[in-house]
Amino acid sequence: MSEGAAQHSTAQASGGYDACRRCRASLLCQFATHPVPGITVIKRQRRLRRGEILYSQGDAFEALYSVCSGTVRTSVPTAQGRRQTLGFCIPGELVGIADLSARRHTTDAVALEPTEVAAFAFRSVSDAMDALPLLRRIVLQLLAEQLAHDEELILPLLGKKTALERLSAYLLSLSRRYEARGFSATYFPLAMSRSDISDYLGLAKETVCRLLARLTDDGLITLDARRLRIRDHERLAQLVYGTSPV
Amino acid sequence: MSEGAAQHSTAQASGGYDACRRCRASLLCQFATHPVPGITVIKRQRRLRRGEILYSQGDAFEALYSVCSGTVRTSVPTAQGRRQTLGFCIPGELVGIADLSARRHTTDAVALEPTEVAAFAFRSVSDAMDALPLLRRIVLQLLAEQLAHDEELILPLLGKKTALERLSAYLLSLSRRYEARGFSATYFPLAMSRSDISDYLGLAKETVCRLLARLTDDGLITLDARRLRIRDHERLAQLVYGTSPV
DNA sequence: CGGACGTTTGACTAATCTCAATCCTAGTGG
DNA sequence: CCACTAGGATTGAGATTAGTCAAACGTCCG
């Protein structure tokens, strides 16, 4: 079974930065590694253990983070002391750029598994942007992309969609994102717990559980040890985009 | 009854650009009106009738649009020929900046009532950005703001929230946006139909109808001729953020 | 090996959707 | 100026879905 080109460096923060090539921050990285006269981009590597906090709501916004390996969850605390998950960042994605315009982080970010991130000091990035049109365009592009991604996400999740449709949409969305970062689109880790997923999708965790079981029974997916395999992409897509059943 | 400072130029595209002061595109506007040597920002006014299309999915991305008066709905067509509403733009807001990184529009945009927009030719804006750091920052800011807004929107809408909570969240969100643009936070037009709202929130239109009736009965809002008055902001907020009942 | 935590499954309840009929309102034409 | 019509808004009743509560099962860590 061909698992696609890149490996997932999930279980261990092994130091292999396979995602770097497709990373959205690769240009930043480049400037950090190969300084240009007069321009300094400060990069710092950081390792997080499972459950470790990257930043909390209210913290000063000092750096842009790019996920090298692992998974980061962003969320906001709700009044009732519960938590609303906003999203998950997989390798190659940036964490919390939405806070770019604020002085402080508006969300909590925590690692769901052993995770490595690259931190780019924001002040240096900001200065560099003024000097480098190319860099500027890239950051602009990143922002717009993120925005488009968010809206694409709103689409299947807010739509009249039933729980099954939502969950399917979520799985397909993950698939696309992994693929876009150079990983396999049909076999990837599901680092987040059922609760995380249900919280994110606005469902009960039992419902997520039951529906995953149903998708498995129907032969659309396989699931073991938190790794998901998509067996019938087409039918899954039908569930979401509707060209289909009955 | 103090209706807040500004008037809503809703019914008629009367030519009064009350929203200009707080408009997110005001800087663009400024450069268009008072040209700076070497920099040209091209602005064009455009009037839309109810139901008129601003742009369609697949159209070339040629301009940034700012809503002067009226309301614009953005949506994507779904496979079944139905439509998924992505959002509504009220006076002072920009339409479709998420497409900034694409060459073509990814959404459909249509006026829900008589509407006026200011169109800024994108190429000229793009050039101007390279020359003007200030303008650049503003656009960056706008993008980040929009992103933050989207995520703020995901919060109440995706959360485990019941239909009532979603609807309340939506009303409060509208309230905040109108206020941010200098209009009354407690009395504003609800230009979109029940179907638009239900489509947006992922509910049945009958449900939206019933819940609006319930909110009215309970004295939280008043609704007549598509104008909404928020009578008990606190209880509405309690419904959404939960500091409250039982 | 023990325990905490996450997952799974079942039974029951409550919320929301669907279908369908009726009511309203705005816009049209006489 | 008024009757007429189409589309939106409402309301009711029944069907379904998803949530809640509760218990049993697994598994990863320490």
Side-chain angles (χ1 to χ4, degrees), chain A residues 74 76 78-80 82 84-86 97-101 106-107 126 129-131 133 136-137 139-141 143-148 150-161 165-166 198-205 240-243, chain B residues 74 76 78-80 82 84-86 97-102 107 126 129-131 133 136-137 139-141 143-148 150-161 165-166 198-205 240-243:
Chain A
T74 57
V76 291
T78 66
Q80 306 99 90
R82 290 185 306 177
Q84 171 59 46
T85 296
L86 292 179
I97 20 174
D99 297 332
L100 198 59
S101 72
T106 58
T107 61
S126 187
M129 270 201 294
D130 279 339
R136 196 154 66 223
R137 294 228 175 80
V139 172
L140 211 64
Q141 173 89 11
L143 265 176
E145 237 176 56
Q146 182 74 31
L147 194 57
D150 271 19
E151 302 206 332
E152 175 194 354
L153 178 141
I154 291 174
L155 193 178
L157 293 190
L158 284 189
K160 180 182 313 280
K161 312 302 181 184
E165 289 171 302
R166 281 195 187 198
S198 67
D199 176 29
Y200 177 59
L201 298 178
L203 303 169
K205 60 180 183 296
V240 180
Y241 304 110
T243 323
Chain B
T74 57
V76 291
T78 66
Q80 306 100 92
R82 289 185 307 177
Q84 170 59 46
T85 297
L86 292 178
I97 21 174
D99 296 332
L100 198 61
S101 72
T107 60
S126 187
M129 271 200 293
D130 279 339
R136 199 155 63 223
R137 294 230 176 80
V139 172
L140 213 64
Q141 173 90 12
L143 265 175
E145 237 178 57
Q146 181 74 30
L147 195 57
D150 272 18
E151 302 206 332
E152 175 194 356
L153 178 141
I154 291 174
L155 193 177
L157 293 189
L158 285 190
K160 180 183 312 279
K161 312 301 180 185
E165 289 171 303
R166 282 194 188 200
S198 66
D199 176 29
Y200 177 59
L201 298 179
L203 304 170
K205 60 178 182 295
V240 179
Y241 304 109
T243 322

Side-chain angles (χ1 to χ4, degrees), chain A residues 90-103:
Chain A
I90 64 175
E93 297 186 334
L94 289 173
V95 184
I97 20 174
D99 297 332
L100 198 59
S101 72
R103 293 172 191 286

Side-chain angles (χ1 to χ4, degrees), chain A residues 33-194:
Chain A
T33 320
H34 308 291
V36 175
I39 293 163
T40 317
V41 173
I42 299 167
K43 177 185 174 185
R44 203 160 44 91
Q45 210 70 21
R46 190 163 156 196
R47 282 169 191 244
L48 302 170
R49 276 168 300 184
R50 181 187 148 92
E52 198 172 339
I53 293 173
L54 180 56
Y55 58 76
S56 298
Q57 195 180 45
D59 287 356
F61 181 84
E62 291 172 338
L64 284 170
Y65 299 98
S66 174
V67 178
C68 302
S69 68
T71 309
V72 172
R73 177 192 66 211
T74 57
S75 62
V76 291
T78 66
Q80 306 99 90
R82 290 185 306 177
R83 166 182 71 216
Q84 171 59 46
T85 296
L86 292 179
F88 306 99
C89 299
I90 64 175
E93 297 186 334
L94 289 173
V95 184
I97 20 174
D99 297 332
L100 198 59
S101 72
R103 293 172 191 286
R104 308 198 158 273
H105 284 291
T106 58
T107 61
D108 294 329
V110 55
L112 292 182
E113 55 182 335
T115 294
E116 279 181 303
V117 299
F120 299 95
F122 177 62
R123 187 168 307 279
S124 70
V125 170
S126 187
D127 291 346
M129 270 201 294
D130 279 339
L132 294 174
L134 178 59
L135 177 60
R136 196 154 66 223
R137 294 228 175 80
I138 298 284
V139 172
L140 211 64
Q141 173 89 11
L142 287 179
L143 265 176
E145 237 176 56
Q146 182 74 31
L147 194 57
H149 169 264
D150 271 19
E151 302 206 332
E152 175 194 354
L153 178 141
I154 291 174
L155 193 178
L157 293 190
L158 284 189
K160 180 182 313 280
K161 312 302 181 184
T162 65
L164 183 61
E165 289 171 302
R166 281 195 187 198
L167 181 60
S168 306
Y170 173 66
L171 297 181
L172 283 183
S173 155
L174 268 185
S175 166
R176 249 179 287 125
R177 285 161 63 193
Y178 272 114
E179 184 174 32
R181 306 264 89 75
F183 298 108
S184 167
T186 58
Y187 186 58
F188 50 86
L190 213 56
M192 53 295 290
S193 72
R194 304 286 186 271

